[in-house]
Amino acid sequence: MESITRRNFIGTSLALGGAALATSGALSPTALEAAAAGAEPKFKISLAAWSLHRTFGKDWKNIDLPRIARERFDIDGVEFVNSFFELPRIDYLNDLKKQASDHNVTLVLIMCDGEGDMSSPDKSERMQAAINHRKWVDIAHYLGCHAIRCNAGGWNSKLPAAELVKNASESFRALCDYAQESGIEITIENHGGYSSDPDNLIPLVKAVDHPLMGLLPDWGNFPEGVDKYAAVEKMLPYAKAMSAKCHNFGPDDSHPEFDLRRMTQVVLKGGYHGFIGIEFEGDVPKDENEGVKACKRVLMSQI
């Protein structure tokens, strides 16, 4: 299932120790050696809320994510989806921060969808989209996140990519200017349409020309036939976050869609050592919890 499903869903719903071994399988020898030596890990792992979207509202709410990340998966961070938030009043945000503190979980970022087209040919529309994102900058800042994830927009546009980049550079610059005081980073994911091509996203970041502007490479969101490893490598100098998109798993945690282990090494060799968010979107295993655990095992084997 491609990430575009997340947009469709939102449009219609709007809405270390023993525990680690028990919830995610044994640590790799490399990870155990690093832990014993007190060495800093090569990266940390976060749970992207979208991994569990099929059971959202049935088995869990947004407020439960820090507990789920720690107790179910022994994962150190959470990446929110904006449509999963209940009314974000201060008392609610304080409760969310307390949950994170109680479970020793970092609130990493907020994935923002459904806030307008940042590449719209209509200037008033794209600038309104920038304004619509401001509340998520403020919420991310209050929660202690380091970034929000935006969409480039322009999914159904027939405009040339260069024109969409020009349009988006204006709205994203305005959003970055707003985020300046809080220091919240503004990231764009390769998430369908012209944004699926790094050769469009990189010029966009350069055109915005702001230190808070960057990319969130999603390992799976590329058109068929694209060399995913080369595409992610190209985005790495601009990466402020990272999404380990994973689909169906085979025997021994193999991942036929692409080689998760190889992709992890591409990212590490490119100098990225921040949080890598697990975003499971597969059907095998059918239990999304098991999919998250399979992806974690692969990532842990590379630490």
Side-chain angles (χ1 to χ4, degrees):
M1 175 168 34
E2 291 296 331
S3 271
I4 192 161
T5 306
R6 180 166 68 228
R7 295 198 301 274
N8 292 342
F9 173 88
I10 288 162
T12 56
S13 66
L14 276 182
L16 274 154
L21 297 176
T23 59
S24 60
L27 296 176
S28 68
T30 302
L32 288 171
E33 290 167 7
E40 283 292 316
K42 296 177 182 178
F43 58 89
K44 292 184 177 181
I45 299 173
S46 48
L47 172 68
W50 190 252
S51 295
L52 308 178
H53 73 276
R54 285 176 286 188
T55 53
F56 171 70
K58 302 173 185 176
D59 298 338
W60 63 277
K61 295 180 180 180
N62 195 61
I63 197 76
D64 301 317
L65 281 172
R67 175 184 58 79
I68 289 172
R70 179 59 66 200
E71 293 182 356
R72 193 179 297 179
F73 304 113
D74 198 28
I75 284 177
D76 293 327
V78 165
E79 299 181 7
F80 295 109
V81 173
N82 65 341
S83 66
F84 292 165
F85 272 74
E86 292 86 4
L87 288 175
R89 296 186 298 260
I90 291 298
D91 56 352
Y92 171 81
L93 297 180
N94 284 337
D95 286 345
L96 199 50
K97 290 170 71 172
K98 184 178 186 303
Q99 286 294 317
S101 177
D102 288 348
H103 294 93
N104 193 26
V105 168
T106 298
L107 305 182
V108 179
L109 57 83
I110 304 174
M111 295 188 174
C112 301
D113 298 290
E115 293 293 2
D117 187 349
M118 297 286 279
S119 297
S120 173
D122 184 327
K123 181 174 180 177
S124 63
E125 184 177 333
R126 63 178 179 264
M127 298 308 287
Q128 181 62 53
I131 292 170
N132 295 345
H133 282 83
R134 289 180 181 180
K135 58 183 173 293
W136 297 111
V137 169
D138 295 340
I139 291 168
H141 173 61
Y142 192 79
L143 290 176
C145 302
H146 78 86
I148 65 169
R149 189 280 278 137
C150 306
N151 294 305
W155 292 293
N156 300 312
S157 178
K158 295 181 181 179
L159 293 175
E163 191 167 343
L164 292 170
V165 167
K166 182 180 178 181
N167 292 343
S169 67
E170 186 177 27
S171 51
F172 276 105
R173 176 69 200 210
L175 183 57
C176 286
D177 287 343
Y178 178 82
Q180 182 71 48
E181 185 175 356
S182 64
I184 294 297
E185 294 174 324
I186 307 300
T187 68
I188 305 177
E189 178 184 354
N190 47 307
H191 201 190
Y194 82 101
S195 77
S196 294
D197 186 344
D199 290 334
N200 295 327
L201 289 182
I202 292 170
L204 175 52
V205 173
K206 290 181 176 179
V208 174
D209 190 26
H210 195 288
L212 292 178
M213 189 71 206
L215 300 179
L216 192 162
D218 183 301
W219 298 356
N221 280 356
F222 297 103
E224 194 163 338
V226 170
D227 184 332
K228 293 180 172 64
Y229 313 102
V232 169
E233 186 175 19
K234 189 178 290 188
M235 297 169 72
L236 281 174
Y238 311 93
K240 295 182 179 294
M242 193 70 57
S243 178
K245 172 66 58 59
C246 44
H247 300 276
N248 296 335
F249 285 92
D252 301 321
D253 295 332
S254 62
H255 189 255
E257 183 80 14
F258 60 91
D259 189 334
L260 276 169
R261 293 174 176 84
R262 177 183 171 188
M263 187 68 86
T264 306
Q265 289 305 310
V266 166
V267 166
L268 293 176
K269 289 176 182 177
Y272 181 85
H273 299 288
F275 273 97
I276 296 179
I278 295 175
E279 188 176 39
F280 176 67
E281 284 198 348
D283 297 312
V284 181
K286 288 187 176 181
D287 184 341
E288 55 196 3
N289 297 293
E290 295 306 314
V292 170
K293 291 176 184 179
C295 188
K296 184 190 174 186
R297 286 192 295 269
V298 173
L299 293 178
M300 288 296 292
S301 74
Q302 304 303 298
I303 290 181

